[in-house]
Amino acid sequence: MGNRTPNLNIPIPYPRSANIDELFDWERFLHDAFIVVDTAVGNISNLITGINNSVQGINTAIANINNTISQILNSDILLTSRIRIAGYRPLSALLNELDDEGGGLLYFPAGVYEIGSTLTVPANVRLLGNNAILRATASFYNSGDVPMFSVAGNGVVFDGLVFEGRPTNNDVRVSAIATNGNETTIVRCQFLRTGYCAVDHRSTTKDGVLRIRDSKFVDCWGDYILTNLSLDADSVVFAHPTFAISTVAAYRGYGVGIKAFTQAGRTLRMALQNVEFDQLLRTAILLTANPAHPAYEVRINKVKVRQVGLTRFSNPSGEASAISNDESLYGALIYVKSTSTDEGDVGTVHITDFDVDEPYGFVVRFPANNGNRHYLSNGRYKHGASGWSGSNPFSPISLRLARAFVSDVEGNAFKRHFTKQSDAYGSYDTVFQNCRFTGVADFGGTLGDQIWYINCTFLGTAPAPNGKWFIGCSGASGYIGSNVIASDGGHISTSSIHLGTFQTGMCFKTTADYGLRPQIKANGRLHDTHIYLPMLFHPSDFYLFDDDNTAFTQELRYLFLGNEIVASFNDEERLPNGRHRLLLTSFSVPRNFYVGSTSDSNFNLKLRVNFSYTGGRAHIIPIRVQMMWRKHGDINQQGYILHDFAPLTTSSIQPRSLYNREFIIPSTALSSFPNGGCMFIEIARQYVANETDKVYIHGVELLYPARLEQ
């Protein structure tokens, strides 16, 4: 062998037969040839190394781009190969491809995109815009009540888009988004001049939440948001600054900010924060509630309302008459409308940090016959004379509510500060605390209503307020109340208590009947007055009987979840439909039991029973509760039915959860009540077709008036 090449170390062979001169020539030839090959291969290797380095740099750049986009989208969607760019191919095709991919990103660069038909958005798709305007074509816009985008699954996000209607409108036209009840998020979007509504979030089959963040709704021709499902909004503006709207017929039926409806089987929850309603045609929030549906929950925090209602129209009375004086024209912040003929309501509204300026009518309006309290705190409302018309049948009564707790609210009213919607239904149970009332407006309620004013200030020329208690109040020319304590100004002479309140010749007065008048002994102790004392009955105190008086031994069950023993109706062996079983216990009349005045509610008996239902059908199963008593030595027994056979509730409860119910025997039924003898408590359940619940009693408490001895 001869030499080797320098790069590849290739040996250069000699031929088999040659003379010396030929060998040297052959070696030189082969040496030169192999050197050329070696050099070429080395250059190719270097070139390949360079290409590999470039490819690696490109891959790194692509990875960096994907990482940046992922950060922008908060890692909501896996973006590796599921990105589409609008502008070059039909939007419907791009959305279909993302549907095949299981979701992804549809990016809209800056520009105007005209939409000619409803586009279906599949699940887990984010539509991201950068100064992008989505506008319905003229022909599509005039096609009626249809959306630009129809959501077909959960996890859809609309981000940074402007949805724009046409410049003018004479009728209901295409809306922006229909979620169809799917969970949908709207972030940093604007809705301008949309048609029938901006966003339609209604469904009877889905129950997704609509979330709206940092968005704005302006000059919507219809209502802004329609929903019968839960809504969560933060930093949202609803505005209608356009003034050329006074007499166009199409507008008369619309203009609500959020129009909501309850529905059977689903709890509607609404959470609003940092929301502004500015110059809307109608009430900011209109909620139509059916008391037979699950109780709704509305929580509003940091909300501003400006010039909402008929004040926007040049002819308020004419517009009101044109649509039969719909109350939603007169409201400002929220109007809860009951579908019940007796103004029934089961929901709760919490409003904190609110500011309402120049509403045409009421600030809040709740049904008169609501079972729960509503809560308003840290707020302000201001009515001016410009917001009221003499022909307005719903004159500006700021707060229309019957049961509520109102704290730290400042109100200036032109007509009336407070009353309930209908005197025919419901009862007042309202507390005003740390409130300040100004203006010429008066107050609702009567002397006997359960209305409390605590540390409130009254300024202006309004008549004296009515209430049950006035504690630490100031500013009123007089207080029409049963109990006036530490409050300046005058009060009516029939008030029961005047403590720390100026009245000639009287510092303390009581007219309540507690049996014997309180007597103050030398030691300063009260003698012969009364208090309420409890008697507790364990489930083991009850025995079970059929309605044919067939006696059973005690029917007790051990509940593992609560680690407790309960009394049972032996529902494993059910009686025929319509028959019933009853749990019964007897006990001696307490020696300190006190029978006071039968006309004084202070002497009512209270019976509290703790139930649970394995299936939660408290609204179906009839229950009867009664108390009986027999005087010592007497064979005749008397009784009082506290609750005759009927369900305890109007709607179902959580299965196996505790349900507490209080029953009252009024003092008028106690005229023959014994000062000695036996008492009986009976709790019965009736059997109903097509229900298989087991009903348990967890315990019973009897509260009775007892003489307080020295």
Side-chain angles (χ1 to χ4, degrees):
M1 296 296 255
N3 296 320
R4 293 177 178 269
T5 61
N7 287 320
L8 303 180
N9 199 25
I10 302 173
I12 303 174
Y14 294 129
R16 289 182 178 275
S17 61
N19 58 35
I20 295 299
D21 292 334
E22 290 173 336
L23 287 174
F24 283 112
D25 291 339
W26 178 251
E27 182 180 7
R28 282 194 297 272
F29 170 76
L30 291 178
H31 178 274
D32 293 342
F34 277 99
I35 287 296
V36 171
V37 172
D38 180 81
T39 302
V41 171
N43 291 337
I44 292 172
S45 177
N46 292 335
L47 179 61
I48 291 174
T49 301
I51 292 174
N52 286 335
N53 291 336
S54 298
V55 170
Q56 183 176 359
I58 293 172
N59 288 335
T60 301
I62 292 174
N64 290 336
I65 292 172
N66 279 337
N67 289 335
T68 301
I69 295 176
S70 296
Q71 292 173 4
I72 293 175
L73 301 179
N74 299 316
S75 300
D76 283 351
I77 303 172
L78 181 64
L79 297 171
T80 308
S81 62
R82 291 152 45 184
I83 304 174
R84 299 294 184 274
I85 308 298
Y88 299 99
R89 292 194 292 142
L91 294 176
S92 58
L94 301 179
L95 290 169
N96 288 337
E97 292 174 8
L98 291 177
D99 188 14
D100 294 336
E101 295 282 350
L105 171 70
L106 177 55
Y107 177 67
F108 291 82
V112 177
Y113 300 82
E114 292 208 338
I115 297 175
S117 62
T118 297
L119 296 172
T120 300
V121 184
N124 301 318
V125 167
R126 179 184 289 262
L127 291 83
L128 175 63
N130 177 21
N131 296 319
I133 298 175
L134 307 180
R135 180 187 298 160
T137 62
S139 59
F140 180 44
Y141 189 71
N142 291 317
S143 61
D145 175 19
V146 289
M148 297 167 66
F149 291 92
S150 178
V151 177
N154 293 326
V156 171
V157 180
F158 296 89
D159 188 349
L161 298 168
V162 178
F163 299 88
E164 190 175 280
R166 311 303 295 185
T168 60
N169 181 35
N170 291 319
D171 200 354
V172 175
R173 294 294 183 252
V174 67
S175 53
I177 299 171
T179 71
N180 304 301
N182 294 294
E183 184 172 314
T184 306
T185 301
I186 297 171
V187 184
R188 296 180 292 274
C189 289
Q190 293 188 54
F191 299 83
L192 307 177
R193 298 185 298 276
T194 52
Y196 176 65
C197 67
V199 180
D200 188 342
H201 183 57
R202 294 178 296 174
S203 175
T204 58
T205 59
K206 304 288 183 63
D207 56 2
V209 178
L210 172 63
R211 296 180 178 88
I212 305 177
R213 301 287 186 270
D214 302 307
S215 296
K216 190 170 185 178
F217 299 77
V218 181
D219 285 342
C220 182
W221 302 115
D223 298 319
Y224 289 77
I225 296 177
L226 297 177
T227 184
N228 60 357
L229 301 171
S230 294
L231 169 66
D232 184 351
D234 190 349
S235 302
V236 180
V237 175
F238 300 85
H240 203 319
T242 303
F243 280 91
I245 56 175
S246 60
T247 58
V248 178
Y251 305 147
R252 290 175 178 152
Y254 301 96
V256 174
I258 300 174
K259 183 179 287 187
F261 309 83
T262 63
Q263 61 175 322
R266 287 182 172 85
T267 298
L268 186 148
R269 293 181 174 88
M270 187 182 302
L272 308 179
Q273 181 169 297
N274 301 311
V275 178
E276 182 176 344
F277 299 92
D278 189 6
Q279 303 181 92
L280 299 186
L281 302 180
R282 290 178 176 239
T283 301
I285 304 168
L286 175 59
L287 170 58
T288 301
N290 187 331
H293 295 164
Y296 60 84
E297 300 174 11
V298 176
R299 295 184 180 272
I300 304 171
N301 181 39
K302 296 182 181 178
V303 60
K304 292 183 179 180
V305 181
R306 295 287 180 272
Q307 296 184 6
V308 171
L310 279 174
T311 188
R312 296 297 318 283
F313 292 94
S314 60
N315 181 12
S317 297
E319 293 302 312
S321 177
I323 57 172
S324 302
N325 288 318
D326 187 335
E327 275 193 89
S328 64
L329 281 168
Y330 299 90
L333 176 50
I334 184 169
Y335 169 25
V336 179
K337 183 178 182 181
S338 174
T339 60
S340 173
T341 56
D342 65 353
E343 283 280 299
D345 187 32
V346 295
T348 305
V349 176
H350 295 254
I351 306 174
T352 59
D353 198 357
F354 63 93
D355 190 351
V356 180
D357 194 15
E358 296 297 337
Y360 193 82
F362 50 81
V363 176
V364 297
R365 193 282 201 196
F366 303 126
N369 198 11
N370 57 308
N372 300 325
R373 283 180 181 264
H374 301 294
Y375 298 86
L376 286 76
S377 64
N378 298 316
R380 166 191 173 273
Y381 61 84
K382 179 183 178 181
H383 274 287
S386 61
W388 180 77
S389 169
S391 60
N392 177 358
F394 303 106
S395 56
I397 298 173
S398 301
L399 308 175
R400 291 178 179 261
L401 42 80
R403 303 193 66 208
F405 188 91
V406 183
S407 174
D408 298 283
V409 170
E410 179 176 346
N412 180 286
F414 180 73
K415 185 69 176 177
R416 177 166 286 188
H417 283 286
F418 155 67
T419 190
K420 62 182 179 180
Q421 176 61 23
S422 172
D423 290 331
Y425 307 110
S427 58
Y428 283 107
D429 184 7
T430 305
V431 177
F432 294 94
Q433 178 175 298
N434 302 330
C435 293
R436 177 183 174 92
F437 301 100
T438 64
V440 300
D442 60 14
F443 300 85
T446 64
L447 174 65
D449 286 320
Q450 293 291 334
I451 304 174
W452 292 53
Y453 294 93
I454 303 173
N455 196 33
C456 292
T457 302
F458 304 88
L459 298 175
T461 60
N466 295 277
K468 182 101 175 160
W469 288 86
F470 292 89
I471 303 175
C473 295
S474 63
S477 57
Y479 303 101
I480 305 176
S482 301
N483 310 284
V484 183
I485 299 177
S487 300
D488 66 5
H491 39 74
I492 60 173
S493 60
T494 57
S495 296
S496 297
I497 298 177
H498 298 277
L499 181 61
T501 299
F502 175 76
Q503 182 173 354
T504 303
M506 186 191 311
C507 178
F508 179 86
K509 177 185 177 183
T510 178
T511 58
D513 183 355
Y514 294 98
L516 296 176
R517 295 290 183 183
Q519 300 175 9
I520 300 180
K521 297 293 185 180
N523 60 9
R525 298 180 63 183
L526 289 178
H527 178 64
D528 283 342
T529 185
H530 93 283
I531 59 174
Y532 267 101
L533 291 180
M535 292 184 66
L536 303 177
F537 298 91
H538 189 266
S540 61
D541 293 328
F542 288 85
Y543 283 80
L544 184 66
F545 294 84
D546 283 354
D547 52 9
D548 58 2
N549 293 322
T550 302
F552 285 83
T553 58
Q554 289 176 308
E555 286 292 334
L556 302 177
R557 299 289 185 273
Y558 173 72
L559 299 186
F560 177 78
L561 291 178
N563 191 26
E564 62 177 324
I565 295 175
V566 296
S568 165
F569 289 94
N570 191 24
D571 293 324
E572 293 86 352
E573 300 179 9
R574 300 172 61 88
L575 295 177
N577 296 330
R579 292 189 60 187
H580 65 271
R581 288 197 178 110
L582 56 91
L583 290 166
L584 179 68
T585 189
S586 61
F587 54 96
S588 298
V589 175
R591 294 182 62 85
N592 59 350
F593 186 91
Y594 183 60
V595 180
S597 170
T598 58
S599 62
D600 193 330
S601 62
N602 287 290
F603 301 104
N604 293 341
L605 274 182
K606 300 177 181 179
L607 187 70
R608 295 170 178 171
V609 186
N610 202 236
F611 297 89
S612 70
Y613 298 72
T614 58
R617 297 180 178 87
H619 63 304
I620 293 176
I621 301 173
I623 298 292
R624 183 182 69 193
V625 179
Q626 63 178 333
M627 286 195 65
M628 295 160 287
W629 53 89
R630 184 171 63 243
K631 294 181 180 179
H632 180 68
D634 198 345
I635 62 173
N636 295 320
Q637 183 171 284
Q638 300 185 47
Y640 185 85
I641 297 178
L642 293 90
H643 184 83
D644 208 351
F645 277 123
L648 295 178
T649 68
T650 58
S651 58
S652 61
I653 62 175
Q654 188 71 23
R656 301 184 183 276
S657 65
L658 295 181
Y659 178 73
N660 298 297
R661 181 66 184 269
E662 182 175 282
F663 307 93
I664 294 178
I665 299 182
S667 56
T668 54
L670 302 178
S671 59
S672 61
F673 213 86
N675 286 320
C678 294
M679 299 175 66
F680 307 86
I681 298 174
E682 176 192 288
I683 305 169
R685 76 96 82 198
Q686 193 175 63
Y687 291 91
V688 179
N690 300 323
E691 60 85 6
T692 58
D693 280 20
K694 298 175 184 177
V695 182
Y696 299 131
I697 304 299
H698 295 251
V700 177
E701 178 184 27
L702 176 67
L703 291 173
Y704 68 93
R707 187 186 300 278
L708 180 63
E709 303 291 351
Q710 56 177 342

